[in-house]
Amino acid sequence: MKVSVFGVGYVGLVTGACLAELGNQVVCIDIDPERIGRLAQGQIPFHEPGLPEMVRNNVDADRLRFTCEADEGVGHGEIIFIAVGTPGAADGSADLTQVRAVARTIGSRMDAFKVVVNKSTVPVGTADEVEQLIAHELAQRDHDVTGGADFAVVSNPEFLKEGVAVGDFMRPDRIILGSSETPAGARARVLLNRLYAPFNRHHDRTLHMDRRSAELTKYAANAMLATRISFMNEIANMADSVGADVDAVRRGIGSDSRIGPSFLYAGTGYGGSCFPKDTQALLETARAHGLSMHLVEAAQRVNQAQKGMLLRHVLARMGEDLQGLTFGVWGLAFKPDTDDMREAPSRDVICGLLRRGARVLAHDPVAMPNARACLVEDLAGDAALMANFSLCYAPQDAVAGVDALLIFTEWKAYRSPDFEAMRGVMRQPLLLDGRNLYEPAQMRELGFQYVGIGRRSAA
Ligand SMILES: NC(=O)c1ccc[n+]([C@@H]2O[C@H](COP(=O)([O-])OP(=O)(O)OC[C@H]3O[C@@H](n4cnc5c(N)ncnc54)[C@H](O)[C@@H]3O)[C@@H](O)[C@H]2O)c1
């Protein structure tokens, strides 16, 4: 089938590459010429395992191409995905500028039936707005020119996880399709059922529903997952205070089939491009409808506090003035297998350390260039503070002479380091394990002072 994808970020590029992999003819459109130019040369703009090979194979097979030309994009696809960013606006609501721009682009150019599929995470009612924007653009044009073009707008939220995005897209738990009960909506369902048929070979994963329910499903899923994480972080803090081990509690409740084992890991709080902004956008939608969402508000508050947990441990042990002290950091990205630094908990803590006079030596397998750029921004370009921040090209370089090692991301490379060598080069053998990578008893036997999250650290 002929498919166009507007926006080649994580979602758009994975969508385009995976649909091309299944034999579709895909054109990806972006307004960023540098990004398009690099993609045309096979360079992927972010780290996502398995994606570079898939993009290259499909470009070589002439099933996938990249362009900045909106005319080409709108003309090509009978199915057009909108996969542009919906960042948080200053008031916390979702900023729909990019989505609206693509809707206008489509409406001002389309000259045949199009299924416009919104994959971006957007507030309830956005499909209606996109429909109105396209209809408005069409009404501005001479209908003889458009040939009586008709269209349908469908909501198809995306649930992929960065780091395993290709696998998630190819083997989705479910495909949510929100469409309207109109002739155009029925035509869209037929086309999208055909497009998604390869994903439904063993059993049908498609859930058809109305557009508003589809839009709300995405926010509800992210709010639920964020709430689980915050709930476990509160249980972890309780475990610390009462002398229990949150890892045992996690296994104890995760084996209950009503609860399940996923998203029960205590840590330094969630980050990334989705949970923080989507929970905030959901709260803004609630406010706009005169509602309160106390659980989601609490999940956010708990998360905000949790992001400062490792810094509070440092300050409680070493005092407010950290001059003369050096801290190692392992892991900068908000989770493993990505270089995404958006809302990463490491940022807040590193800024807190630097502002109190400390030196920081940091390592991450892929996120270091992005991390440096983000910290420059967070520290408002303060060159004196940045001079105390060094990136290390090997994990062991970030432990030499440090007064503590802080772990923010559970990269595989950090799971089984040479502990004795580490302990030998650290100035103080303090491990602040924000991802509960290690066994507290073993670490103590090896001579470390070990602080995990909810691992009897305060007892
Ligand atoms: N990143 C994730 O893990 C994830 C998962 C599920 C859903 N989502 C949602 O999917 C959407 C996209 O997220 P992302 O992380 O891929 O975004 P992103 O910021 O990585 O990429 C967005 C892309 O859209 C391009 N763009 C902006 N305006 C455009 C226009 N008018 N025409 C064409 N291209 C344009 C930008 O240049 C950029 O390349 C968001 O709504 C996000 O909430 C993201």
Side-chain angles (χ1 to χ4, degrees), residues 5-13 29-32 35 46 82-87 97-99 101-102 105 119-122 157-162 218 222 273-274 277-278 334 340 342:
V5 182
F6 276 81
V8 283
Y10 288 89
V11 169
L13 189 55
I29 310 97
D30 203 286
I31 49 167
D32 180 346
R35 183 164 275 213
F46 44 80
I82 302 179
V84 292
T86 50
T97 309
Q98 298 175 29
V99 172
V102 178
T105 297
K119 251 198 183 309
S120 297
T121 302
V122 290
E158 180 52 57
F159 298 93
L160 62 76
K161 300 182 288 297
E162 287 176 22
K218 175 65 190 175
N222 277 359
S273 69
C274 293
K277 83 169 170 61
D278 292 348
F334 84 97
D340 199 336
R342 289 179 278 189

Side-chain angles (χ1 to χ4, degrees), residues 298-350:
Q300 275 192 338
R301 266 201 312 280
V302 170
N303 194 59
Q304 207 44 45
Q306 197 70 14
K307 284 173 100 173
M309 180 62 81
L310 292 195
L311 182 60
R312 286 197 296 280
H313 272 296
V314 168
L315 301 181
R317 281 164 183 265
M318 302 180 176
E320 278 287 330
D321 183 1
L322 303 178
Q323 289 194 51
L325 298 176
T326 302
F327 295 89
V329 168
W330 277 3
L332 295 162
F334 84 97
K335 67 174 188 173
D337 291 311
T338 182
D339 58 356
D340 199 336
M341 287 295 299
R342 289 179 278 189
E343 306 276 342
S346 65
R347 290 169 66 166
D348 298 17
V349 176
I350 292 172

Side-chain angles (χ1 to χ4, degrees), residues 409-420:
T409 321
E410 63 274 33
W411 283 97
K412 284 198 187 74
Y414 304 147
R415 281 176 199 255
S416 298
D418 181 341
F419 289 113
E420 286 181 5

